[in-house]
Amino acid sequence: MKRFLKVLSPLMLAALCLAGCSNIPDEPATTGIENLTYINEVGKTVPVAENIGDYLGVTQPPKYLPTTHDVEFVVKSYYVYGNTVVTFDGIELDSLDVPQANVYGSVDARIMGKGKEKEMKIAYNAYDADGNLLRKNACMKADIDGKKDDSTFRFLFAVPLETVKVEFYDYAE
C-alpha cells in the first residue's frame, strides 16, 4: 500500500498542477448579436435593350445596380482552443465590386490567455434567410506562435453571398 501511495502522490500532484494552469475562465461564455452590412456593387442587373442601333444581333452589356445586404453575427464573449482563450475586438465585411460567389470578412481578436498552441481555430456556420445551412463547420485559423497575452491578430473568413446569419463557436478536433 505504501508503494502505491508513493507512486500515486507525484501523479496526483502533477495532475493538480496542470489543472491549476488553465486559462479557461470559470464563468461560461455569454452570447451576443452583432449586425453588419455590406454593399454588393454588382448585386442586381437592369434589363437592357436587345440591339444597339442598326447593328442586329449586337446586345448591350448588362448594367448592374448595387444592393445592400445585412448579416447577423452570433458571437460569444470568448472562444477556447486547447488552453488558449481569445475574444473578438471587431468584425468587418468587405463590400463587393466584382461578381463573385463569396463575401469575405475579417475578425480582429485578442488573446486573453495563451496556451502552448501555435495556432488558434474557431469554427462557424453560415445560414440563408430560410435558416438553411449554407456552410457547415467552416474553420477560421490564425498563426499565434510567438504571441503573448493581450496580443492582437486577425482571422479571415468567407461566406456565400446568400448568407444572412453567421454563428461562431469553439473549434473541436
Side-chain angles (χ1 to χ4, degrees):
M1 184 70 169
K2 286 184 181 183
R3 185 173 206 179
F4 177 73
L5 288 175
K6 284 182 181 181
V7 172
L8 186 61
S9 295
L11 292 175
M12 291 203 39
L13 185 60
L16 287 173
C17 181
L18 289 175
C21 300
S22 175
N23 289 323
I24 303 169
D26 292 333
E27 68 278 351
T30 58
T31 303
I33 303 292
E34 187 170 335
N35 293 303
L36 295 174
T37 301
Y38 71 92
I39 297 172
N40 185 352
E41 294 291 339
V42 292
K44 190 175 180 182
T45 57
V46 176
V48 293
E50 273 300 310
N51 298 315
I52 300 175
D54 295 329
Y55 303 101
L56 295 175
V58 176
T59 58
Q60 296 181 16
K63 182 178 179 184
Y64 295 100
L65 292 177
T67 56
T68 303
H69 304 271
D70 296 321
V71 181
E72 176 183 276
F73 288 89
V74 180
V75 296
K76 296 185 345 182
S77 55
Y78 64 85
Y79 295 89
V80 177
Y81 178 67
N83 195 27
T84 300
V85 181
V86 301
T87 186
F88 287 177
D89 285 342
I91 304 171
E92 292 180 16
L93 286 174
D94 296 337
S95 290
L96 309 175
D97 55 5
V98 295
Q100 57 193 45
N102 290 316
V103 177
Y104 296 93
S106 62
V107 176
D108 291 328
R110 182 176 44 83
I111 298 174
M112 295 172 58
K114 175 77 166 66
K116 294 181 180 182
E117 292 73 29
K118 293 184 179 191
E119 65 182 1
M120 181 66 192
K121 295 180 181 181
I122 296 177
Y124 64 95
N125 291 334
Y127 302 91
D128 67 8
D130 296 327
N132 298 318
L133 199 57
L134 298 175
R135 183 155 295 157
K136 182 179 180 181
N137 297 332
C139 178
M140 305 185 302
K141 54 180 166 171
D143 180 21
I144 58 170
D145 193 24
K147 298 204 181 283
K148 299 185 181 344
D149 289 359
D150 286 329
S151 295
T152 59
F153 62 96
R154 181 171 281 186
F155 287 111
L156 300 176
F157 66 93
V159 293
L161 283 179
E162 303 83 24
T163 300
V164 297
K165 179 180 177 182
V166 177
E167 181 179 21
F168 295 106
Y169 56 93
D170 291 335
Y171 180 84
E173 296 287 338

